[in-house]
Amino acid sequence: MIIATFNINGIKARINALPDWLAERKPDVVLLQEIKSVDENFPREIFEDMGYQVETHGQKSFNGVAILSKLPLEDITRGLPGDDEDEQARWIEATVVGKTAIRLCGLYLPNGNPAPGPKYDYKLAWMERLQARAEELLASEEPALMAGDYNIIPQAEDAKRPEAWAEDALYRPESRAAFRKILNLGFTEAFRARVQGAEHYSFWDYQAGAWNRNDGIRIDHFLLTPQCADLLQDCQIDSEIRGRDKPSDHVPVWVDLDA
């Protein structure tokens, strides 16, 4: 089972590029972030015609997450538990049924800038709720994963110029500590389980020729429960997508599970 995560930075802007990539890679499931569309305006017919079931949790002009799946989806829920007043569309869950059922959690973690400030407080509070949900997933002892745009640079090797991010919400010590706290509950970070070393990135800013200079950061991650990690066969980043026409500033990351 191939499961991908992809922050598309607006479905309207990527209306041709996304189907092209889907036709090439042929993932079974895709977790999308920043669809920037209300549910009723998401162009589901394009993806349904390609054989995907489409589930969205949208928001006008901002945020928004979705699941595209060629396999059956069950028990679909929307919104990260823990704050009924949170109106930002950043979380969607479903169980995908293949050889093995996998609980999928697609997320778009808050950016948090400028930091310090209210937006950074929201980011850290959101991560506390994320940890609570992570603990529940581990307690279920079932294969599950949390994947998406975490807006977290875990280590210095995950940035071309880590010093440039020192005061950024993506790399501040509090952000990285909150991420490690979740990881250390017992999750496997899929990419680092398969690939070591520097200069592996999933995001390049549109400004200052970042792509051409490979001035990137790795902020899109898969965290796997132990039961899901046992199924892991590979995890890679489709970085060449960033050099195509009208790209997102992110690229897809995918896992191959024996499921």
Side-chain angles (χ1 to χ4, degrees):
M1 183 189 300
I2 303 292
I3 303 173
T5 182
F6 192 2
N7 181 323
I8 57 173
N9 196 2
I11 185 62
K12 291 183 179 179
R14 246 52 70 186
I15 200 65
N16 295 317
L18 179 57
D20 287 347
W21 175 77
L22 291 172
E24 294 171 18
R25 173 58 66 186
K26 297 180 173 59
D28 299 294
V29 184
V30 185
L31 305 172
L32 299 176
Q33 301 90 48
E34 277 202 278
I35 61 173
K36 297 181 180 178
S37 168
V38 294
D39 295 335
E40 54 268 30
N41 289 345
F42 189 86
R44 62 179 54 248
E45 295 81 4
I46 294 173
F47 305 103
E48 290 171 345
D49 289 346
M50 298 180 74
Y52 287 99
Q53 177 179 339
V54 178
E55 300 293 340
T56 61
H57 179 35
Q59 181 180 343
K60 186 177 181 180
S61 303
F62 299 98
N63 306 321
V65 288
I67 303 176
L68 312 179
S69 180
K70 289 186 175 181
L71 298 169
L73 294 176
E74 299 177 348
D75 190 20
I76 301 152
T77 61
R78 295 165 173 85
L80 179 63
D83 189 347
D84 294 336
E85 296 180 359
D86 189 352
E87 297 179 354
Q88 297 193 26
R90 295 181 174 274
W91 182 272
I92 189 168
E93 280 192 40
T95 297
V96 60
V97 183
K99 286 193 307 181
T100 302
I102 307 290
R103 187 64 179 170
L104 307 173
C105 304
L107 64 93
Y108 177 43
L109 204 149
N111 177 285
N113 282 303
K119 291 185 177 181
Y120 192 55
D121 295 341
Y122 174 69
K123 179 190 187 94
L124 295 178
W126 203 94
M127 294 187 76
E128 290 182 1
R129 292 162 53 206
L130 175 61
Q131 179 178 333
R133 182 64 187 125
E135 291 171 352
E136 293 174 350
L137 292 169
L138 289 170
S140 74
E141 298 187 349
E142 296 177 350
L145 60 83
M146 304 188 301
D149 178 0
Y150 277 77
N151 272 315
I152 297 286
I153 305 169
Q155 298 177 328
E157 66 182 3
D158 296 311
K160 181 74 169 184
R161 297 179 299 118
E163 68 280 1
W165 298 87
E167 298 302 319
D168 194 281
L170 280 64
Y171 193 58
R172 286 177 65 94
E174 304 94 327
S175 304
R176 291 186 288 136
F179 181 79
R180 284 195 306 272
K181 192 174 180 181
I182 294 169
L183 187 61
N184 291 341
L185 293 171
F187 286 86
T188 293
E189 208 257 273
F191 185 77
R192 285 307 183 195
R194 301 296 301 175
V195 182
Q196 302 300 313
E199 299 201 355
H200 299 287
Y201 310 129
S202 63
F203 171 93
W204 296 259
D205 197 280
Y206 289 126
Q207 305 300 318
W211 166 247
N212 292 330
R213 296 184 290 109
N214 197 27
D215 186 6
I217 54 177
R218 192 176 69 89
I219 57 175
D220 302 88
H221 311 300
F222 276 89
L223 300 191
L224 315 181
T225 66
Q227 296 78 12
C228 192
D230 287 343
L231 305 173
L232 179 63
Q233 296 182 312
D234 202 3
C235 180
Q236 298 293 333
I237 301 173
D238 282 359
S239 57
E240 64 90 14
I241 300 297
R242 183 62 175 80
R244 296 189 180 183
D245 185 48
K246 296 181 180 179
S248 171
D249 42 10
H250 294 252
V251 295
V253 182
W254 54 267
V255 295
D256 184 1
L257 302 179
D258 183 18

